[in-house]
Amino acid sequence: QVQLVESGGGLVQAGGSLRLSCAGSGRTFSSYAMGWFRQAPGKEREFVAAISWSSDWTDYAASVKGRFTISRDNAKNTMYLQMNSLKPEDTAVYYCAKKGSGSSWDRAWSYDYWGQGTQVTVSS
């Protein structure tokens, strides 16, 4: 069983920054890939970023590339999402997830454990 807990969300003005954290339970945190997704009201959950277990590979949605940075500290069982130059359209609930056996890094069905989400609101 894997438990994931997000933190770091909040209200920020456009152009500002936030850093989200995702704390994972269990000694095997370092052995699996992870991802961030977000869901705005009335919209489907969408991929934001993903990172391999060793941090040697990352991927980003086009809408956040160059503004967001995903990272992880396996010694602390924690993954991060540094979000800079935030825009109102980044407003959503952000979820971290553990990647399962699915082959697609950017599809929610490839991830088998999810956190409860943290709200990010960007005002204009």
Short mmCIF file of all heavy atoms in Angstrom, two decimals, residues 28-73:
data_model
loop_
_atom_site.label_atom_id
_atom_site.label_comp_id
_atom_site.label_asym_id
_atom_site.label_seq_id
_atom_site.Cartn_x
_atom_site.Cartn_y
_atom_site.Cartn_z
N THR A 28 9.76 1.75 -0.44
CA THR A 28 9.98 1.55 -1.87
C THR A 28 9.73 2.80 -2.69
O THR A 28 9.67 2.74 -3.91
CB THR A 28 9.08 0.42 -2.39
OG1 THR A 28 7.71 0.77 -2.16
CG2 THR A 28 9.42 -0.89 -1.71
N PHE A 29 9.60 3.96 -2.05
CA PHE A 29 9.31 5.20 -2.78
C PHE A 29 10.32 5.41 -3.90
O PHE A 29 9.96 5.84 -5.00
CB PHE A 29 9.35 6.37 -1.82
CG PHE A 29 9.08 7.70 -2.46
CD1 PHE A 29 7.79 8.17 -2.61
CD2 PHE A 29 10.13 8.51 -2.92
CE1 PHE A 29 7.54 9.40 -3.19
CE2 PHE A 29 9.89 9.73 -3.51
CZ PHE A 29 8.59 10.18 -3.64
N SER A 30 11.58 5.11 -3.65
CA SER A 30 12.63 5.38 -4.63
C SER A 30 12.60 4.44 -5.82
O SER A 30 13.34 4.63 -6.78
CB SER A 30 14.00 5.30 -3.96
OG SER A 30 14.21 3.99 -3.45
N SER A 31 11.75 3.44 -5.80
CA SER A 31 11.77 2.45 -6.86
C SER A 31 10.73 2.66 -7.94
O SER A 31 10.67 1.87 -8.89
CB SER A 31 11.59 1.04 -6.27
OG SER A 31 10.32 0.92 -5.67
N TYR A 32 9.92 3.70 -7.83
CA TYR A 32 8.91 3.89 -8.85
C TYR A 32 8.86 5.33 -9.36
O TYR A 32 9.21 6.27 -8.66
CB TYR A 32 7.52 3.43 -8.38
CG TYR A 32 7.13 3.81 -6.97
CD1 TYR A 32 6.67 5.08 -6.68
CD2 TYR A 32 7.19 2.88 -5.94
CE1 TYR A 32 6.30 5.43 -5.40
CE2 TYR A 32 6.81 3.22 -4.65
CZ TYR A 32 6.37 4.50 -4.38
OH TYR A 32 6.00 4.82 -3.11
N ALA A 33 8.41 5.45 -10.59
CA ALA A 33 8.23 6.76 -11.21
C ALA A 33 7.01 7.44 -10.63
O ALA A 33 6.10 6.80 -10.09
CB ALA A 33 8.07 6.61 -12.72
N MET A 34 6.99 8.75 -10.74
CA MET A 34 5.92 9.55 -10.16
C MET A 34 5.47 10.62 -11.15
O MET A 34 6.19 10.96 -12.09
CB MET A 34 6.41 10.24 -8.89
CG MET A 34 6.88 9.32 -7.79
SD MET A 34 5.50 8.54 -6.94
CE MET A 34 4.73 9.97 -6.17
N GLY A 35 4.29 11.16 -10.89
CA GLY A 35 3.79 12.21 -11.76
C GLY A 35 2.92 13.21 -11.02
O GLY A 35 2.47 12.94 -9.90
N TRP A 36 2.74 14.35 -11.66
CA TRP A 36 1.79 15.37 -11.20
C TRP A 36 0.70 15.54 -12.26
O TRP A 36 0.99 15.61 -13.46
CB TRP A 36 2.49 16.71 -10.99
CG TRP A 36 3.37 16.81 -9.79
CD1 TRP A 36 4.73 16.65 -9.76
CD2 TRP A 36 2.96 17.08 -8.45
NE1 TRP A 36 5.18 16.81 -8.48
CE2 TRP A 36 4.13 17.09 -7.65
CE3 TRP A 36 1.73 17.34 -7.83
CZ2 TRP A 36 4.10 17.31 -6.27
CZ3 TRP A 36 1.72 17.57 -6.47
CH2 TRP A 36 2.87 17.56 -5.71
N PHE A 37 -0.52 15.64 -11.80
CA PHE A 37 -1.68 15.93 -12.65
C PHE A 37 -2.44 17.09 -12.01
O PHE A 37 -2.23 17.43 -10.84
CB PHE A 37 -2.59 14.71 -12.76
CG PHE A 37 -2.05 13.62 -13.64
CD1 PHE A 37 -1.02 12.80 -13.21
CD2 PHE A 37 -2.56 13.40 -14.91
CE1 PHE A 37 -0.50 11.79 -14.02
CE2 PHE A 37 -2.07 12.40 -15.72
CZ PHE A 37 -1.04 11.60 -15.28
N ARG A 38 -3.34 17.68 -12.78
CA ARG A 38 -4.19 18.73 -12.22
C ARG A 38 -5.58 18.64 -12.83
O ARG A 38 -5.76 18.10 -13.94
CB ARG A 38 -3.59 20.11 -12.47
CG ARG A 38 -3.53 20.53 -13.94
CD ARG A 38 -2.76 21.85 -14.08
NE ARG A 38 -2.72 22.32 -15.46
CZ ARG A 38 -2.02 23.37 -15.86
NH1 ARG A 38 -1.30 24.08 -14.99
NH2 ARG A 38 -2.04 23.74 -17.13
N GLN A 39 -6.54 19.15 -12.09
CA GLN A 39 -7.92 19.13 -12.56
C GLN A 39 -8.60 20.44 -12.18
O GLN A 39 -8.71 20.77 -10.99
CB GLN A 39 -8.69 17.95 -11.98
CG GLN A 39 -10.06 17.76 -12.58
CD GLN A 39 -10.67 16.41 -12.24
OE1 GLN A 39 -10.24 15.74 -11.30
NE2 GLN A 39 -11.67 16.00 -13.01
N ALA A 40 -9.03 21.17 -13.20
CA ALA A 40 -9.77 22.41 -13.00
C ALA A 40 -11.26 22.10 -12.99
O ALA A 40 -11.69 21.07 -13.54
CB ALA A 40 -9.44 23.39 -14.11
N PRO A 41 -12.08 22.96 -12.38
CA PRO A 41 -13.52 22.71 -12.33
C PRO A 41 -14.12 22.53 -13.72
O PRO A 41 -13.86 23.31 -14.63
CB PRO A 41 -14.06 23.98 -11.66
CG PRO A 41 -12.93 24.49 -10.85
CD PRO A 41 -11.69 24.16 -11.64
N GLY A 42 -14.88 21.46 -13.87
CA GLY A 42 -15.53 21.19 -15.14
C GLY A 42 -14.65 20.62 -16.22
O GLY A 42 -15.09 20.44 -17.36
N LYS A 43 -13.40 20.34 -15.88
CA LYS A 43 -12.46 19.80 -16.87
C LYS A 43 -11.94 18.45 -16.43
O LYS A 43 -12.01 18.09 -15.27
CB LYS A 43 -11.30 20.77 -17.09
CG LYS A 43 -11.72 22.10 -17.69
CD LYS A 43 -10.50 22.94 -18.04
CE LYS A 43 -10.90 24.24 -18.72
NZ LYS A 43 -9.70 25.06 -19.08
N GLU A 44 -11.41 17.71 -17.39
CA GLU A 44 -10.81 16.42 -17.08
C GLU A 44 -9.44 16.62 -16.42
O GLU A 44 -8.79 17.64 -16.59
CB GLU A 44 -10.66 15.60 -18.37
CG GLU A 44 -11.97 15.19 -19.00
CD GLU A 44 -11.76 14.24 -20.16
OE1 GLU A 44 -10.61 14.00 -20.54
OE2 GLU A 44 -12.77 13.74 -20.69
N ARG A 45 -9.04 15.58 -15.69
CA ARG A 45 -7.72 15.60 -15.10
C ARG A 45 -6.67 15.56 -16.20
O ARG A 45 -6.77 14.76 -17.14
CB ARG A 45 -7.55 14.41 -14.16
CG ARG A 45 -6.35 14.47 -13.27
CD ARG A 45 -6.40 13.42 -12.17
NE ARG A 45 -7.56 13.64 -11.29
CZ ARG A 45 -7.73 13.01 -10.13
NH1 ARG A 45 -6.83 12.12 -9.73
NH2 ARG A 45 -8.80 13.25 -9.40
N GLU A 46 -5.67 16.42 -16.10
CA GLU A 46 -4.66 16.49 -17.14
C GLU A 46 -3.25 16.34 -16.59
O GLU A 46 -2.97 16.72 -15.45
CB GLU A 46 -4.76 17.81 -17.92
CG GLU A 46 -4.43 19.05 -17.12
CD GLU A 46 -4.38 20.31 -17.99
OE1 GLU A 46 -4.61 20.23 -19.20
OE2 GLU A 46 -4.11 21.39 -17.42
N PHE A 47 -2.41 15.80 -17.41
CA PHE A 47 -1.00 15.57 -17.07
C PHE A 47 -0.27 16.89 -16.95
O PHE A 47 -0.47 17.81 -17.74
CB PHE A 47 -0.37 14.72 -18.17
CG PHE A 47 1.11 14.58 -18.08
CD1 PHE A 47 1.70 13.76 -17.13
CD2 PHE A 47 1.95 15.27 -18.96
CE1 PHE A 47 3.08 13.62 -17.06
CE2 PHE A 47 3.32 15.13 -18.90
CZ PHE A 47 3.88 14.30 -17.94
N VAL A 48 0.61 16.97 -15.96
CA VAL A 48 1.46 18.13 -15.77
C VAL A 48 2.93 17.78 -15.98
O VAL A 48 3.62 18.39 -16.79
CB VAL A 48 1.25 18.75 -14.38
CG1 VAL A 48 2.22 19.90 -14.15
CG2 VAL A 48 -0.19 19.22 -14.20
N ALA A 49 3.41 16.78 -15.22
CA ALA A 49 4.82 16.43 -15.29
C ALA A 49 5.03 15.03 -14.73
O ALA A 49 4.21 14.55 -13.95
CB ALA A 49 5.68 17.43 -14.52
N ALA A 50 6.13 14.41 -15.12
CA ALA A 50 6.48 13.09 -14.62
C ALA A 50 7.99 13.00 -14.44
O ALA A 50 8.76 13.74 -15.08
CB ALA A 50 6.00 12.00 -15.57
N ILE A 51 8.40 12.08 -13.56
CA ILE A 51 9.83 11.90 -13.27
C ILE A 51 10.11 10.44 -13.03
O ILE A 51 9.30 9.73 -12.41
CB ILE A 51 10.24 12.78 -12.06
CG1 ILE A 51 11.75 12.74 -11.85
CG2 ILE A 51 9.50 12.35 -10.80
CD1 ILE A 51 12.24 13.82 -10.88
N SER A 52 11.22 9.96 -13.54
CA SER A 52 11.61 8.57 -13.34
C SER A 52 12.07 8.35 -11.90
O SER A 52 12.31 9.30 -11.16
CB SER A 52 12.72 8.18 -14.31
OG SER A 52 13.88 8.97 -14.04
N TRP A 53 12.27 7.08 -11.53
CA TRP A 53 12.64 6.80 -10.14
C TRP A 53 14.00 7.38 -9.79
O TRP A 53 14.23 7.79 -8.65
CB TRP A 53 12.65 5.28 -9.90
CG TRP A 53 13.74 4.55 -10.64
CD1 TRP A 53 13.69 4.02 -11.89
CD2 TRP A 53 15.06 4.29 -10.15
NE1 TRP A 53 14.87 3.45 -12.21
CE2 TRP A 53 15.74 3.59 -11.17
CE3 TRP A 53 15.73 4.58 -8.96
CZ2 TRP A 53 17.06 3.18 -11.02
CZ3 TRP A 53 17.04 4.17 -8.82
CH2 TRP A 53 17.69 3.47 -9.85
N SER A 54 14.89 7.46 -10.79
CA SER A 54 16.25 7.94 -10.54
C SER A 54 16.43 9.42 -10.87
O SER A 54 17.53 9.95 -10.76
CB SER A 54 17.23 7.13 -11.37
OG SER A 54 16.96 7.31 -12.74
N SER A 55 15.36 10.08 -11.31
CA SER A 55 15.40 11.49 -11.72
C SER A 55 16.19 11.73 -12.99
O SER A 55 16.47 12.88 -13.33
CB SER A 55 15.99 12.38 -10.60
OG SER A 55 15.24 12.27 -9.42
N ASP A 56 16.55 10.67 -13.71
CA ASP A 56 17.33 10.89 -14.94
C ASP A 56 16.45 11.22 -16.13
O ASP A 56 16.96 11.52 -17.22
CB ASP A 56 18.22 9.68 -15.24
CG ASP A 56 17.41 8.42 -15.52
OD1 ASP A 56 16.20 8.42 -15.29
OD2 ASP A 56 18.01 7.42 -15.98
N TRP A 57 15.15 11.16 -15.95
CA TRP A 57 14.22 11.47 -17.04
C TRP A 57 13.03 12.21 -16.48
O TRP A 57 12.48 11.83 -15.45
CB TRP A 57 13.77 10.16 -17.71
CG TRP A 57 12.82 10.37 -18.84
CD1 TRP A 57 13.12 10.59 -20.15
CD2 TRP A 57 11.39 10.40 -18.75
NE1 TRP A 57 11.97 10.74 -20.88
CE2 TRP A 57 10.89 10.63 -20.06
CE3 TRP A 57 10.49 10.25 -17.71
CZ2 TRP A 57 9.54 10.71 -20.34
CZ3 TRP A 57 9.12 10.33 -17.97
CH2 TRP A 57 8.66 10.56 -19.29
N THR A 58 12.66 13.29 -17.15
CA THR A 58 11.46 14.04 -16.79
C THR A 58 10.69 14.38 -18.06
O THR A 58 11.25 14.38 -19.17
CB THR A 58 11.81 15.35 -16.05
OG1 THR A 58 12.66 16.15 -16.89
CG2 THR A 58 12.50 15.09 -14.73
N ASP A 59 9.42 14.67 -17.88
CA ASP A 59 8.57 15.06 -19.01
C ASP A 59 7.56 16.08 -18.51
O ASP A 59 7.16 16.04 -17.34
CB ASP A 59 7.86 13.84 -19.59
CG ASP A 59 7.18 14.14 -20.92
OD1 ASP A 59 7.63 15.07 -21.61
OD2 ASP A 59 6.20 13.45 -21.26
N TYR A 60 7.18 16.98 -19.40
CA TYR A 60 6.27 18.05 -19.03
C TYR A 60 5.19 18.23 -20.09
O TYR A 60 5.44 18.02 -21.29
CB TYR A 60 7.02 19.38 -18.89
CG TYR A 60 8.06 19.39 -17.80
CD1 TYR A 60 9.37 19.02 -18.04
CD2 TYR A 60 7.71 19.77 -16.49
CE1 TYR A 60 10.31 19.01 -17.04
CE2 TYR A 60 8.65 19.78 -15.48
CZ TYR A 60 9.95 19.40 -15.76
OH TYR A 60 10.89 19.39 -14.75
N ALA A 61 4.03 18.67 -19.64
CA ALA A 61 3.01 19.11 -20.58
C ALA A 61 3.49 20.39 -21.26
O ALA A 61 4.22 21.19 -20.65
CB ALA A 61 1.69 19.37 -19.86
N ALA A 62 3.09 20.57 -22.49
CA ALA A 62 3.53 21.74 -23.24
C ALA A 62 3.14 23.04 -22.54
O ALA A 62 3.87 24.04 -22.60
CB ALA A 62 2.95 21.70 -24.65
N SER A 63 2.01 23.02 -21.86
CA SER A 63 1.49 24.24 -21.23
C SER A 63 2.32 24.70 -20.04
O SER A 63 2.20 25.86 -19.63
CB SER A 63 0.04 24.01 -20.79
OG SER A 63 -0.03 22.93 -19.89
N VAL A 64 3.14 23.82 -19.49
CA VAL A 64 3.93 24.19 -18.31
C VAL A 64 5.43 24.13 -18.55
O VAL A 64 6.21 24.56 -17.69
CB VAL A 64 3.58 23.30 -17.09
CG1 VAL A 64 2.08 23.31 -16.84
CG2 VAL A 64 4.10 21.88 -17.26
N LYS A 65 5.84 23.63 -19.68
CA LYS A 65 7.27 23.48 -19.96
C LYS A 65 7.96 24.84 -19.93
O LYS A 65 7.47 25.82 -20.49
CB LYS A 65 7.46 22.81 -21.32
CG LYS A 65 8.86 22.32 -21.61
CD LYS A 65 8.90 21.48 -22.87
CE LYS A 65 8.15 20.18 -22.70
NZ LYS A 65 8.28 19.30 -23.90
N GLY A 66 9.08 24.88 -19.22
CA GLY A 66 9.82 26.13 -19.07
C GLY A 66 9.41 26.95 -17.87
O GLY A 66 10.10 27.88 -17.47
N ARG A 67 8.26 26.60 -17.27
CA ARG A 67 7.78 27.32 -16.08
C ARG A 67 7.77 26.43 -14.84
O ARG A 67 8.00 26.91 -13.73
CB ARG A 67 6.36 27.85 -16.31
CG ARG A 67 6.24 28.81 -17.47
CD ARG A 67 4.84 29.44 -17.53
NE ARG A 67 3.78 28.45 -17.74
CZ ARG A 67 2.76 28.25 -16.90
NH1 ARG A 67 2.66 28.97 -15.80
NH2 ARG A 67 1.83 27.33 -17.18
N PHE A 68 7.50 25.16 -15.01
CA PHE A 68 7.43 24.19 -13.90
C PHE A 68 8.64 23.27 -13.94
O PHE A 68 9.14 22.93 -15.01
CB PHE A 68 6.17 23.35 -14.00
CG PHE A 68 4.87 24.07 -13.75
CD1 PHE A 68 4.81 25.46 -13.68
CD2 PHE A 68 3.70 23.35 -13.59
CE1 PHE A 68 3.61 26.12 -13.46
CE2 PHE A 68 2.48 23.99 -13.36
CZ PHE A 68 2.44 25.38 -13.30
N THR A 69 9.07 22.84 -12.74
CA THR A 69 10.17 21.89 -12.62
C THR A 69 9.79 20.79 -11.64
O THR A 69 9.44 21.09 -10.50
CB THR A 69 11.46 22.57 -12.17
OG1 THR A 69 11.81 23.61 -13.07
CG2 THR A 69 12.60 21.56 -12.10
N ILE A 70 9.86 19.56 -12.09
CA ILE A 70 9.59 18.42 -11.23
C ILE A 70 10.92 17.88 -10.71
O ILE A 70 11.92 17.85 -11.43
CB ILE A 70 8.79 17.32 -11.98
CG1 ILE A 70 8.31 16.23 -11.02
CG2 ILE A 70 9.59 16.75 -13.14
CD1 ILE A 70 7.36 15.24 -11.68
N SER A 71 10.92 17.46 -9.45
CA SER A 71 12.12 16.88 -8.86
C SER A 71 11.70 15.94 -7.74
O SER A 71 10.54 15.90 -7.36
CB SER A 71 13.05 17.97 -8.33
OG SER A 71 12.42 18.71 -7.30
N ARG A 72 12.66 15.20 -7.22
CA ARG A 72 12.36 14.29 -6.12
C ARG A 72 13.61 14.11 -5.25
O ARG A 72 14.74 14.25 -5.73
CB ARG A 72 11.87 12.95 -6.63
CG ARG A 72 12.87 12.15 -7.43
CD ARG A 72 12.21 10.95 -8.13
NE ARG A 72 11.68 9.99 -7.17
CZ ARG A 72 10.84 9.00 -7.49
NH1 ARG A 72 10.46 8.85 -8.76
NH2 ARG A 72 10.41 8.16 -6.56
N ASP A 73 13.37 13.80 -4.00
CA ASP A 73 14.43 13.49 -3.04
C ASP A 73 14.06 12.14 -2.44
O ASP A 73 13.23 12.07 -1.52
CB ASP A 73 14.52 14.58 -1.98
CG ASP A 73 15.67 14.37 -1.02
OD1 ASP A 73 16.15 13.22 -0.92
OD2 ASP A 73 16.07 15.33 -0.36
#
